[in-house]
Amino acid sequence: MAVTMVRPLAQLPGLLDEQLHKEVRFRAGGVVIRRCPASGVQQVLLVSSRNAHKAHYSFPAGKYERDLDDGFEACALRETKEEAGVECEIVSDLGWYVGFAKKDAVETRTRFFAMQCSIELEHWLEETQRQRCWVNLSEARRLTAETPINAELCKYLENLEFSHAYAGGAVFEAQPPVECAATA
């Protein structure tokens, strides 16, 4: 299954009404970063799938809902909070990623945003269905390799450096594997 990174899709707002009536699912998600409290190593947030029989991890993302979301940024923030119990601040737009749903092969277009973790909630909407896990970028790449969109995001992030200008001054840089307890 091929994944195409689409950057930028400037006409999307004008096309949204037309596209929503076709077999295309619009989604948004977050690539959340933080520094591990114990080691100071930069980490990304992954969430487990709802399927307890399969150890699959991905970046938090979900369906754009016109009645709930005031744009794709709002959708990404909502999905990150629902799936992982993390409140965030958007740092930058990582662009559009195109793929196909496993269950019915419908085209999906997911807009991802780089986010800085602000607050980790003790309880959240999907806490009984998912596990959140903080890992370094190389571990994220290993854990998400089976999903083309997630693998593409990890590949892209390996070459990306975030500015020190935003909250926390976190910068993505290559890091060797470091053990840091995952937060359940």
Side-chain angles (χ1 to χ4, degrees):
M1 171 169 40
V3 172
T4 306
M5 189 168 118
V6 182
R7 303 173 84 42
L9 194 52
Q11 294 113 352
L12 184 68
L15 294 176
L16 189 56
D17 290 334
E18 176 187 322
Q19 294 279 344
L20 284 176
H21 297 293
K22 294 182 179 178
E23 283 294 315
V24 175
R25 291 192 187 118
F26 288 95
R27 307 172 75 244
V31 178
V32 184
I33 59 172
R34 74 163 190 185
R35 288 206 181 269
C36 176
S39 68
V41 170
Q42 295 152 354
Q43 299 177 308
V44 294
L45 174 67
L46 299 178
V47 293
S48 64
S49 67
R50 288 183 177 158
N51 184 347
H53 303 293
K54 200 174 185 183
H56 172 74
Y57 290 90
S58 65
F59 294 101
K63 181 181 174 184
Y64 173 77
E65 300 195 32
R66 295 178 69 163
D67 57 332
L68 291 178
D69 301 319
D70 187 28
F72 289 99
E73 295 88 348
C75 177
L77 291 168
R78 176 182 55 78
E79 288 291 343
T80 300
K81 185 175 180 180
E82 287 177 5
E83 292 185 2
V86 176
E87 293 182 358
C88 301
E89 175 184 326
I90 291 179
V91 176
S92 66
D93 186 340
L94 298 177
W96 289 93
Y97 294 78
V98 177
F100 294 90
K102 289 180 184 177
K103 66 180 180 179
D104 56 14
V106 170
E107 181 181 331
T108 60
R109 295 182 188 177
T110 308
R111 189 168 188 173
F112 279 97
F113 296 89
M115 300 178 179
Q116 175 71 37
C117 175
S118 301
I119 299 169
E120 266 187 78
L121 302 172
E122 188 174 331
H123 300 286
W124 65 96
L125 187 64
E126 297 183 17
E127 71 179 301
T128 60
Q129 301 166 17
R130 297 182 188 271
Q131 181 180 25
R132 68 178 167 216
C133 181
W134 292 99
V135 297
N136 66 31
L137 191 53
S138 61
E139 183 68 1
R141 188 170 202 189
R142 185 185 71 75
L143 290 171
T144 63
E146 71 179 56
T147 306
I149 288 175
N150 291 320
E152 185 70 26
L153 276 169
C154 286
K155 183 178 170 184
Y156 177 71
L157 291 173
E158 286 177 345
N159 299 319
L160 182 68
E161 281 192 23
F162 290 107
S163 165
H164 283 281
Y166 69 86
V171 175
F172 253 124
E173 52 196 42
Q175 299 283 347
V178 173
E179 291 297 319
C180 183
T183 307

PDB file of all heavy atoms in Angstrom, residues 102-136:
ATOM      1  N   LYS A 102      -7.891   0.298   6.163  1.00  0.00           N
ATOM      2  CA  LYS A 102      -7.730  -1.154   6.096  1.00  0.00           C
ATOM      3  C   LYS A 102      -9.061  -1.879   5.934  1.00  0.00           C
ATOM      4  O   LYS A 102      -9.159  -2.866   5.227  1.00  0.00           O
ATOM      5  CB  LYS A 102      -7.024  -1.662   7.349  1.00  0.00           C
ATOM      6  CG  LYS A 102      -5.583  -1.293   7.424  1.00  0.00           C
ATOM      7  CD  LYS A 102      -4.952  -1.830   8.695  1.00  0.00           C
ATOM      8  CE  LYS A 102      -3.525  -1.365   8.820  1.00  0.00           C
ATOM      9  NZ  LYS A 102      -2.928  -1.811  10.078  1.00  0.00           N
ATOM     10  N   LYS A 103     -10.085  -1.382   6.626  1.00  0.00           N
ATOM     11  CA  LYS A 103     -11.353  -2.118   6.648  1.00  0.00           C
ATOM     12  C   LYS A 103     -12.128  -2.074   5.342  1.00  0.00           C
ATOM     13  O   LYS A 103     -12.831  -3.016   5.015  1.00  0.00           O
ATOM     14  CB  LYS A 103     -12.232  -1.653   7.803  1.00  0.00           C
ATOM     15  CG  LYS A 103     -12.724  -0.234   7.693  1.00  0.00           C
ATOM     16  CD  LYS A 103     -13.587   0.136   8.881  1.00  0.00           C
ATOM     17  CE  LYS A 103     -14.061   1.574   8.749  1.00  0.00           C
ATOM     18  NZ  LYS A 103     -14.901   1.962   9.857  1.00  0.00           N
ATOM     19  N   ASP A 104     -12.009  -0.964   4.565  1.00  0.00           N
ATOM     20  CA  ASP A 104     -12.812  -0.861   3.352  1.00  0.00           C
ATOM     21  C   ASP A 104     -12.106  -0.198   2.170  1.00  0.00           C
ATOM     22  O   ASP A 104     -12.717   0.072   1.157  1.00  0.00           O
ATOM     23  CB  ASP A 104     -14.117  -0.115   3.634  1.00  0.00           C
ATOM     24  CG  ASP A 104     -13.888   1.254   4.239  1.00  0.00           C
ATOM     25  OD1 ASP A 104     -12.744   1.743   4.213  1.00  0.00           O
ATOM     26  OD2 ASP A 104     -14.861   1.831   4.748  1.00  0.00           O
ATOM     27  N   ALA A 105     -10.810   0.050   2.299  1.00  0.00           N
ATOM     28  CA  ALA A 105      -9.977   0.617   1.242  1.00  0.00           C
ATOM     29  C   ALA A 105     -10.411   2.006   0.773  1.00  0.00           C
ATOM     30  O   ALA A 105     -10.032   2.437  -0.299  1.00  0.00           O
ATOM     31  CB  ALA A 105      -9.885  -0.339   0.057  1.00  0.00           C
ATOM     32  N   VAL A 106     -11.177   2.726   1.585  1.00  0.00           N
ATOM     33  CA  VAL A 106     -11.562   4.094   1.249  1.00  0.00           C
ATOM     34  C   VAL A 106     -10.355   5.002   1.467  1.00  0.00           C
ATOM     35  O   VAL A 106      -9.610   4.838   2.434  1.00  0.00           O
ATOM     36  CB  VAL A 106     -12.762   4.557   2.111  1.00  0.00           C
ATOM     37  CG1 VAL A 106     -13.025   6.048   1.946  1.00  0.00           C
ATOM     38  CG2 VAL A 106     -14.004   3.765   1.748  1.00  0.00           C
ATOM     39  N   GLU A 107     -10.160   5.950   0.572  1.00  0.00           N
ATOM     40  CA  GLU A 107      -9.050   6.884   0.695  1.00  0.00           C
ATOM     41  C   GLU A 107      -9.208   7.733   1.951  1.00  0.00           C
ATOM     42  O   GLU A 107     -10.299   8.200   2.272  1.00  0.00           O
ATOM     43  CB  GLU A 107      -8.990   7.808  -0.518  1.00  0.00           C
ATOM     44  CG  GLU A 107      -7.836   8.786  -0.461  1.00  0.00           C
ATOM     45  CD  GLU A 107      -7.780   9.729  -1.650  1.00  0.00           C
ATOM     46  OE1 GLU A 107      -8.235   9.346  -2.749  1.00  0.00           O
ATOM     47  OE2 GLU A 107      -7.278  10.842  -1.470  1.00  0.00           O
ATOM     48  N   THR A 108      -8.089   7.899   2.667  1.00  0.00           N
ATOM     49  CA  THR A 108      -8.077   8.782   3.835  1.00  0.00           C
ATOM     50  C   THR A 108      -7.051   9.882   3.594  1.00  0.00           C
ATOM     51  O   THR A 108      -5.992   9.633   3.009  1.00  0.00           O
ATOM     52  CB  THR A 108      -7.712   8.035   5.135  1.00  0.00           C
ATOM     53  OG1 THR A 108      -6.411   7.477   4.997  1.00  0.00           O
ATOM     54  CG2 THR A 108      -8.720   6.949   5.458  1.00  0.00           C
ATOM     55  N   ARG A 109      -7.383  11.080   4.045  1.00  0.00           N
ATOM     56  CA  ARG A 109      -6.452  12.207   3.996  1.00  0.00           C
ATOM     57  C   ARG A 109      -6.342  12.735   5.417  1.00  0.00           C
ATOM     58  O   ARG A 109      -7.317  13.222   5.974  1.00  0.00           O
ATOM     59  CB  ARG A 109      -6.951  13.288   3.059  1.00  0.00           C
ATOM     60  CG  ARG A 109      -7.005  12.821   1.617  1.00  0.00           C
ATOM     61  CD  ARG A 109      -7.454  13.913   0.701  1.00  0.00           C
ATOM     62  NE  ARG A 109      -7.659  13.351  -0.635  1.00  0.00           N
ATOM     63  CZ  ARG A 109      -8.116  14.045  -1.652  1.00  0.00           C
ATOM     64  NH1 ARG A 109      -8.418  15.317  -1.509  1.00  0.00           N
ATOM     65  NH2 ARG A 109      -8.273  13.466  -2.821  1.00  0.00           N
ATOM     66  N   THR A 110      -5.158  12.598   5.970  1.00  0.00           N
ATOM     67  CA  THR A 110      -4.936  12.969   7.360  1.00  0.00           C
ATOM     68  C   THR A 110      -3.953  14.123   7.431  1.00  0.00           C
ATOM     69  O   THR A 110      -2.857  14.042   6.878  1.00  0.00           O
ATOM     70  CB  THR A 110      -4.396  11.773   8.167  1.00  0.00           C
ATOM     71  OG1 THR A 110      -5.244  10.648   7.969  1.00  0.00           O
ATOM     72  CG2 THR A 110      -4.317  12.106   9.652  1.00  0.00           C
ATOM     73  N   ARG A 111      -4.355  15.163   8.124  1.00  0.00           N
ATOM     74  CA  ARG A 111      -3.478  16.311   8.332  1.00  0.00           C
ATOM     75  C   ARG A 111      -2.873  16.190   9.723  1.00  0.00           C
ATOM     76  O   ARG A 111      -3.592  16.130  10.718  1.00  0.00           O
ATOM     77  CB  ARG A 111      -4.259  17.609   8.217  1.00  0.00           C
ATOM     78  CG  ARG A 111      -3.371  18.825   8.208  1.00  0.00           C
ATOM     79  CD  ARG A 111      -4.154  20.031   7.797  1.00  0.00           C
ATOM     80  NE  ARG A 111      -3.279  21.167   7.596  1.00  0.00           N
ATOM     81  CZ  ARG A 111      -3.697  22.311   7.101  1.00  0.00           C
ATOM     82  NH1 ARG A 111      -4.963  22.472   6.754  1.00  0.00           N
ATOM     83  NH2 ARG A 111      -2.861  23.299   6.944  1.00  0.00           N
ATOM     84  N   PHE A 112      -1.554  16.131   9.768  1.00  0.00           N
ATOM     85  CA  PHE A 112      -0.858  16.004  11.040  1.00  0.00           C
ATOM     86  C   PHE A 112      -0.237  17.329  11.458  1.00  0.00           C
ATOM     87  O   PHE A 112       0.213  18.113  10.619  1.00  0.00           O
ATOM     88  CB  PHE A 112       0.230  14.927  10.965  1.00  0.00           C
ATOM     89  CG  PHE A 112      -0.304  13.536  11.142  1.00  0.00           C
ATOM     90  CD1 PHE A 112      -0.594  12.742  10.055  1.00  0.00           C
ATOM     91  CD2 PHE A 112      -0.517  13.029  12.417  1.00  0.00           C
ATOM     92  CE1 PHE A 112      -1.099  11.464  10.218  1.00  0.00           C
ATOM     93  CE2 PHE A 112      -1.016  11.747  12.589  1.00  0.00           C
ATOM     94  CZ  PHE A 112      -1.306  10.965  11.487  1.00  0.00           C
ATOM     95  N   PHE A 113      -0.203  17.524  12.776  1.00  0.00           N
ATOM     96  CA  PHE A 113       0.385  18.711  13.370  1.00  0.00           C
ATOM     97  C   PHE A 113       1.408  18.284  14.415  1.00  0.00           C
ATOM     98  O   PHE A 113       1.158  17.353  15.178  1.00  0.00           O
ATOM     99  CB  PHE A 113      -0.692  19.568  14.042  1.00  0.00           C
ATOM    100  CG  PHE A 113      -1.701  20.104  13.076  1.00  0.00           C
ATOM    101  CD1 PHE A 113      -2.845  19.373  12.772  1.00  0.00           C
ATOM    102  CD2 PHE A 113      -1.503  21.327  12.460  1.00  0.00           C
ATOM    103  CE1 PHE A 113      -3.770  19.858  11.861  1.00  0.00           C
ATOM    104  CE2 PHE A 113      -2.427  21.820  11.546  1.00  0.00           C
ATOM    105  CZ  PHE A 113      -3.567  21.089  11.245  1.00  0.00           C
ATOM    106  N   ALA A 114       2.545  18.979  14.433  1.00  0.00           N
ATOM    107  CA  ALA A 114       3.514  18.784  15.514  1.00  0.00           C
ATOM    108  C   ALA A 114       2.968  19.533  16.717  1.00  0.00           C
ATOM    109  O   ALA A 114       2.478  20.654  16.598  1.00  0.00           O
ATOM    110  CB  ALA A 114       4.869  19.342  15.115  1.00  0.00           C
ATOM    111  N   MET A 115       3.018  18.894  17.883  1.00  0.00           N
ATOM    112  CA  MET A 115       2.453  19.477  19.096  1.00  0.00           C
ATOM    113  C   MET A 115       3.428  19.352  20.254  1.00  0.00           C
ATOM    114  O   MET A 115       4.176  18.376  20.341  1.00  0.00           O
ATOM    115  CB  MET A 115       1.163  18.751  19.488  1.00  0.00           C
ATOM    116  CG  MET A 115       0.077  18.797  18.456  1.00  0.00           C
ATOM    117  SD  MET A 115      -1.342  17.833  19.052  1.00  0.00           S
ATOM    118  CE  MET A 115      -2.470  18.058  17.703  1.00  0.00           C
ATOM    119  N   GLN A 116       3.353  20.323  21.132  1.00  0.00           N
ATOM    120  CA  GLN A 116       4.112  20.294  22.390  1.00  0.00           C
ATOM    121  C   GLN A 116       3.149  19.871  23.489  1.00  0.00           C
ATOM    122  O   GLN A 116       2.067  20.439  23.615  1.00  0.00           O
ATOM    123  CB  GLN A 116       4.681  21.684  22.693  1.00  0.00           C
ATOM    124  CG  GLN A 116       5.386  21.781  24.023  1.00  0.00           C
ATOM    125  CD  GLN A 116       6.714  21.040  24.059  1.00  0.00           C
ATOM    126  OE1 GLN A 116       7.440  21.035  23.081  1.00  0.00           O
ATOM    127  NE2 GLN A 116       7.016  20.406  25.176  1.00  0.00           N
ATOM    128  N   CYS A 117       3.525  18.871  24.267  1.00  0.00           N
ATOM    129  CA  CYS A 117       2.698  18.413  25.387  1.00  0.00           C
ATOM    130  C   CYS A 117       2.629  19.499  26.458  1.00  0.00           C
ATOM    131  O   CYS A 117       3.661  19.987  26.919  1.00  0.00           O
ATOM    132  CB  CYS A 117       3.291  17.139  25.963  1.00  0.00           C
ATOM    133  SG  CYS A 117       2.447  16.538  27.431  1.00  0.00           S
ATOM    134  N   SER A 118       1.410  19.864  26.848  1.00  0.00           N
ATOM    135  CA  SER A 118       1.215  20.842  27.926  1.00  0.00           C
ATOM    136  C   SER A 118       0.867  20.147  29.231  1.00  0.00           C
ATOM    137  O   SER A 118       1.457  20.422  30.270  1.00  0.00           O
ATOM    138  CB  SER A 118       0.086  21.811  27.580  1.00  0.00           C
ATOM    139  OG  SER A 118       0.361  22.496  26.398  1.00  0.00           O
ATOM    140  N   ILE A 119      -0.114  19.229  29.160  1.00  0.00           N
ATOM    141  CA  ILE A 119      -0.608  18.549  30.365  1.00  0.00           C
ATOM    142  C   ILE A 119      -0.933  17.100  30.028  1.00  0.00           C
ATOM    143  O   ILE A 119      -1.586  16.818  29.030  1.00  0.00           O
ATOM    144  CB  ILE A 119      -1.900  19.221  30.887  1.00  0.00           C
ATOM    145  CG1 ILE A 119      -1.643  20.677  31.269  1.00  0.00           C
ATOM    146  CG2 ILE A 119      -2.477  18.462  32.076  1.00  0.00           C
ATOM    147  CD1 ILE A 119      -2.918  21.458  31.546  1.00  0.00           C
ATOM    148  N   GLU A 120      -0.489  16.184  30.883  1.00  0.00           N
ATOM    149  CA  GLU A 120      -0.902  14.785  30.801  1.00  0.00           C
ATOM    150  C   GLU A 120      -2.016  14.583  31.806  1.00  0.00           C
ATOM    151  O   GLU A 120      -1.817  14.782  32.997  1.00  0.00           O
ATOM    152  CB  GLU A 120       0.256  13.847  31.164  1.00  0.00           C
ATOM    153  CG  GLU A 120       1.042  13.370  30.002  1.00  0.00           C
ATOM    154  CD  GLU A 120       2.050  12.320  30.411  1.00  0.00           C
ATOM    155  OE1 GLU A 120       1.643  11.153  30.602  1.00  0.00           O
ATOM    156  OE2 GLU A 120       3.221  12.679  30.528  1.00  0.00           O
ATOM    157  N   LEU A 121      -3.176  14.204  31.313  1.00  0.00           N
ATOM    158  CA  LEU A 121      -4.323  13.994  32.189  1.00  0.00           C
ATOM    159  C   LEU A 121      -4.222  12.633  32.872  1.00  0.00           C
ATOM    160  O   LEU A 121      -3.733  11.670  32.287  1.00  0.00           O
ATOM    161  CB  LEU A 121      -5.616  14.086  31.386  1.00  0.00           C
ATOM    162  CG  LEU A 121      -5.830  15.400  30.635  1.00  0.00           C
ATOM    163  CD1 LEU A 121      -7.050  15.297  29.728  1.00  0.00           C
ATOM    164  CD2 LEU A 121      -5.970  16.553  31.599  1.00  0.00           C
ATOM    165  N   GLU A 122      -4.721  12.561  34.090  1.00  0.00           N
ATOM    166  CA  GLU A 122      -4.728  11.291  34.812  1.00  0.00           C
ATOM    167  C   GLU A 122      -5.798  10.356  34.246  1.00  0.00           C
ATOM    168  O   GLU A 122      -5.622   9.151  34.189  1.00  0.00           O
ATOM    169  CB  GLU A 122      -4.968  11.542  36.301  1.00  0.00           C
ATOM    170  CG  GLU A 122      -4.792  10.311  37.147  1.00  0.00           C
ATOM    171  CD  GLU A 122      -4.889  10.611  38.635  1.00  0.00           C
ATOM    172  OE1 GLU A 122      -4.554  11.739  39.046  1.00  0.00           O
ATOM    173  OE2 GLU A 122      -5.303   9.702  39.369  1.00  0.00           O
ATOM    174  N   HIS A 123      -6.922  10.938  33.843  1.00  0.00           N
ATOM    175  CA  HIS A 123      -8.023  10.166  33.262  1.00  0.00           C
ATOM    176  C   HIS A 123      -8.445  10.828  31.959  1.00  0.00           C
ATOM    177  O   HIS A 123      -8.428  12.052  31.851  1.00  0.00           O
ATOM    178  CB  HIS A 123      -9.206  10.107  34.224  1.00  0.00           C
ATOM    179  CG  HIS A 123      -8.867   9.466  35.532  1.00  0.00           C
ATOM    180  ND1 HIS A 123      -8.695   8.112  35.664  1.00  0.00           N
ATOM    181  CD2 HIS A 123      -8.633   9.998  36.750  1.00  0.00           C
ATOM    182  CE1 HIS A 123      -8.378   7.820  36.915  1.00  0.00           C
ATOM    183  NE2 HIS A 123      -8.329   8.957  37.602  1.00  0.00           N
ATOM    184  N   TRP A 124      -8.834   9.996  30.988  1.00  0.00           N
ATOM    185  CA  TRP A 124      -9.271  10.528  29.699  1.00  0.00           C
ATOM    186  C   TRP A 124     -10.288   9.581  29.068  1.00  0.00           C
ATOM    187  O   TRP A 124     -10.488   8.463  29.535  1.00  0.00           O
ATOM    188  CB  TRP A 124      -8.079  10.793  28.773  1.00  0.00           C
ATOM    189  CG  TRP A 124      -7.306   9.589  28.334  1.00  0.00           C
ATOM    190  CD1 TRP A 124      -7.462   8.899  27.170  1.00  0.00           C
ATOM    191  CD2 TRP A 124      -6.236   8.932  29.029  1.00  0.00           C
ATOM    192  NE1 TRP A 124      -6.568   7.873  27.096  1.00  0.00           N
ATOM    193  CE2 TRP A 124      -5.802   7.869  28.211  1.00  0.00           C
ATOM    194  CE3 TRP A 124      -5.608   9.155  30.251  1.00  0.00           C
ATOM    195  CZ2 TRP A 124      -4.765   7.013  28.591  1.00  0.00           C
ATOM    196  CZ3 TRP A 124      -4.577   8.302  30.630  1.00  0.00           C
ATOM    197  CH2 TRP A 124      -4.167   7.254  29.810  1.00  0.00           C
ATOM    198  N   LEU A 125     -10.924  10.051  28.010  1.00  0.00           N
ATOM    199  CA  LEU A 125     -12.055   9.358  27.394  1.00  0.00           C
ATOM    200  C   LEU A 125     -11.760   7.903  27.028  1.00  0.00           C
ATOM    201  O   LEU A 125     -12.542   7.017  27.321  1.00  0.00           O
ATOM    202  CB  LEU A 125     -12.536  10.131  26.156  1.00  0.00           C
ATOM    203  CG  LEU A 125     -13.801   9.618  25.499  1.00  0.00           C
ATOM    204  CD1 LEU A 125     -14.995   9.740  26.448  1.00  0.00           C
ATOM    205  CD2 LEU A 125     -14.084  10.389  24.216  1.00  0.00           C
ATOM    206  N   GLU A 126     -10.635   7.622  26.401  1.00  0.00           N
ATOM    207  CA  GLU A 126     -10.340   6.269  25.919  1.00  0.00           C
ATOM    208  C   GLU A 126      -9.296   5.538  26.756  1.00  0.00           C
ATOM    209  O   GLU A 126      -8.660   4.604  26.280  1.00  0.00           O
ATOM    210  CB  GLU A 126      -9.914   6.346  24.449  1.00  0.00           C
ATOM    211  CG  GLU A 126     -11.018   6.860  23.544  1.00  0.00           C
ATOM    212  CD  GLU A 126     -10.654   6.869  22.068  1.00  0.00           C
ATOM    213  OE1 GLU A 126      -9.682   6.200  21.667  1.00  0.00           O
ATOM    214  OE2 GLU A 126     -11.370   7.544  21.310  1.00  0.00           O
ATOM    215  N   GLU A 127      -9.163   5.911  28.017  1.00  0.00           N
ATOM    216  CA  GLU A 127      -8.126   5.307  28.865  1.00  0.00           C
ATOM    217  C   GLU A 127      -8.314   3.808  29.074  1.00  0.00           C
ATOM    218  O   GLU A 127      -7.341   3.083  29.293  1.00  0.00           O
ATOM    219  CB  GLU A 127      -8.019   6.022  30.209  1.00  0.00           C
ATOM    220  CG  GLU A 127      -9.185   5.776  31.137  1.00  0.00           C
ATOM    221  CD  GLU A 127      -9.003   6.488  32.468  1.00  0.00           C
ATOM    222  OE1 GLU A 127      -8.015   6.230  33.169  1.00  0.00           O
ATOM    223  OE2 GLU A 127      -9.864   7.312  32.781  1.00  0.00           O
ATOM    224  N   THR A 128      -9.553   3.316  28.993  1.00  0.00           N
ATOM    225  CA  THR A 128      -9.781   1.881  29.168  1.00  0.00           C
ATOM    226  C   THR A 128      -9.603   1.115  27.854  1.00  0.00           C
ATOM    227  O   THR A 128      -9.561  -0.115  27.859  1.00  0.00           O
ATOM    228  CB  THR A 128     -11.196   1.600  29.709  1.00  0.00           C
ATOM    229  OG1 THR A 128     -12.160   2.100  28.793  1.00  0.00           O
ATOM    230  CG2 THR A 128     -11.384   2.252  31.080  1.00  0.00           C
ATOM    231  N   GLN A 129      -9.476   1.849  26.742  1.00  0.00           N
ATOM    232  CA  GLN A 129      -9.360   1.217  25.426  1.00  0.00           C
ATOM    233  C   GLN A 129      -7.966   1.315  24.832  1.00  0.00           C
ATOM    234  O   GLN A 129      -7.624   0.550  23.929  1.00  0.00           O
ATOM    235  CB  GLN A 129     -10.337   1.876  24.452  1.00  0.00           C
ATOM    236  CG  GLN A 129     -11.774   1.793  24.893  1.00  0.00           C
ATOM    237  CD  GLN A 129     -12.658   2.734  24.087  1.00  0.00           C
ATOM    238  OE1 GLN A 129     -12.284   3.200  23.023  1.00  0.00           O
ATOM    239  NE2 GLN A 129     -13.836   3.006  24.606  1.00  0.00           N
ATOM    240  N   ARG A 130      -7.182   2.271  25.313  1.00  0.00           N
ATOM    241  CA  ARG A 130      -5.867   2.522  24.726  1.00  0.00           C
ATOM    242  C   ARG A 130      -4.830   2.765  25.817  1.00  0.00           C
ATOM    243  O   ARG A 130      -5.157   3.190  26.904  1.00  0.00           O
ATOM    244  CB  ARG A 130      -5.892   3.773  23.843  1.00  0.00           C
ATOM    245  CG  ARG A 130      -6.792   3.678  22.653  1.00  0.00           C
ATOM    246  CD  ARG A 130      -6.691   4.965  21.851  1.00  0.00           C
ATOM    247  NE  ARG A 130      -7.650   5.029  20.786  1.00  0.00           N
ATOM    248  CZ  ARG A 130      -7.455   4.572  19.564  1.00  0.00           C
ATOM    249  NH1 ARG A 130      -6.323   3.982  19.257  1.00  0.00           N
ATOM    250  NH2 ARG A 130      -8.394   4.686  18.647  1.00  0.00           N
ATOM    251  N   GLN A 131      -3.596   2.550  25.443  1.00  0.00           N
ATOM    252  CA  GLN A 131      -2.473   2.878  26.319  1.00  0.00           C
ATOM    253  C   GLN A 131      -1.658   3.973  25.638  1.00  0.00           C
ATOM    254  O   GLN A 131      -1.451   3.938  24.431  1.00  0.00           O
ATOM    255  CB  GLN A 131      -1.600   1.650  26.517  1.00  0.00           C
ATOM    256  CG  GLN A 131      -0.435   1.891  27.429  1.00  0.00           C
ATOM    257  CD  GLN A 131       0.418   0.639  27.593  1.00  0.00           C
ATOM    258  OE1 GLN A 131       0.434  -0.233  26.745  1.00  0.00           O
ATOM    259  NE2 GLN A 131       1.150   0.579  28.684  1.00  0.00           N
ATOM    260  N   ARG A 132      -1.236   4.972  26.402  1.00  0.00           N
ATOM    261  CA  ARG A 132      -0.327   5.963  25.829  1.00  0.00           C
ATOM    262  C   ARG A 132       1.093   5.550  26.174  1.00  0.00           C
ATOM    263  O   ARG A 132       1.357   4.973  27.236  1.00  0.00           O
ATOM    264  CB  ARG A 132      -0.647   7.373  26.310  1.00  0.00           C
ATOM    265  CG  ARG A 132      -0.393   7.626  27.762  1.00  0.00           C
ATOM    266  CD  ARG A 132      -0.704   9.084  28.128  1.00  0.00           C
ATOM    267  NE  ARG A 132      -0.744   9.198  29.572  1.00  0.00           N
ATOM    268  CZ  ARG A 132      -1.574   9.980  30.229  1.00  0.00           C
ATOM    269  NH1 ARG A 132      -2.437  10.739  29.584  1.00  0.00           N
ATOM    270  NH2 ARG A 132      -1.540  10.025  31.536  1.00  0.00           N
ATOM    271  N   CYS A 133       1.995   5.849  25.274  1.00  0.00           N
ATOM    272  CA  CYS A 133       3.373   5.406  25.425  1.00  0.00           C
ATOM    273  C   CYS A 133       4.302   6.494  24.885  1.00  0.00           C
ATOM    274  O   CYS A 133       4.158   6.926  23.749  1.00  0.00           O
ATOM    275  CB  CYS A 133       3.551   4.112  24.634  1.00  0.00           C
ATOM    276  SG  CYS A 133       5.186   3.395  24.728  1.00  0.00           S
ATOM    277  N   TRP A 134       5.245   6.930  25.700  1.00  0.00           N
ATOM    278  CA  TRP A 134       6.237   7.919  25.288  1.00  0.00           C
ATOM    279  C   TRP A 134       7.507   7.181  24.914  1.00  0.00           C
ATOM    280  O   TRP A 134       8.054   6.438  25.725  1.00  0.00           O
ATOM    281  CB  TRP A 134       6.521   8.894  26.417  1.00  0.00           C
ATOM    282  CG  TRP A 134       5.375   9.791  26.743  1.00  0.00           C
ATOM    283  CD1 TRP A 134       4.471   9.631  27.757  1.00  0.00           C
ATOM    284  CD2 TRP A 134       5.011  10.995  26.066  1.00  0.00           C
ATOM    285  NE1 TRP A 134       3.572  10.671  27.743  1.00  0.00           N
ATOM    286  CE2 TRP A 134       3.880  11.525  26.715  1.00  0.00           C
ATOM    287  CE3 TRP A 134       5.526  11.688  24.967  1.00  0.00           C
ATOM    288  CZ2 TRP A 134       3.259  12.710  26.308  1.00  0.00           C
ATOM    289  CZ3 TRP A 134       4.913  12.857  24.558  1.00  0.00           C
ATOM    290  CH2 TRP A 134       3.795  13.361  25.225  1.00  0.00           C
ATOM    291  N   VAL A 135       7.995   7.379  23.699  1.00  0.00           N
ATOM    292  CA  VAL A 135       9.199   6.695  23.221  1.00  0.00           C
ATOM    293  C   VAL A 135      10.058   7.673  22.427  1.00  0.00           C
ATOM    294  O   VAL A 135       9.577   8.689  21.946  1.00  0.00           O
ATOM    295  CB  VAL A 135       8.852   5.475  22.333  1.00  0.00           C
ATOM    296  CG1 VAL A 135       8.095   4.418  23.126  1.00  0.00           C
ATOM    297  CG2 VAL A 135       8.047   5.899  21.115  1.00  0.00           C
ATOM    298  N   ASN A 136      11.354   7.334  22.281  1.00  0.00           N
ATOM    299  CA  ASN A 136      12.189   8.176  21.437  1.00  0.00           C
ATOM    300  C   ASN A 136      11.851   7.896  19.972  1.00  0.00           C
ATOM    301  O   ASN A 136      11.130   6.948  19.659  1.00  0.00           O
ATOM    302  CB  ASN A 136      13.681   8.018  21.766  1.00  0.00           C
ATOM    303  CG  ASN A 136      14.210   6.646  21.454  1.00  0.00           C
ATOM    304  OD1 ASN A 136      13.759   5.971  20.536  1.00  0.00           O
ATOM    305  ND2 ASN A 136      15.192   6.220  22.228  1.00  0.00           N
TER     306      ASN A 136
END
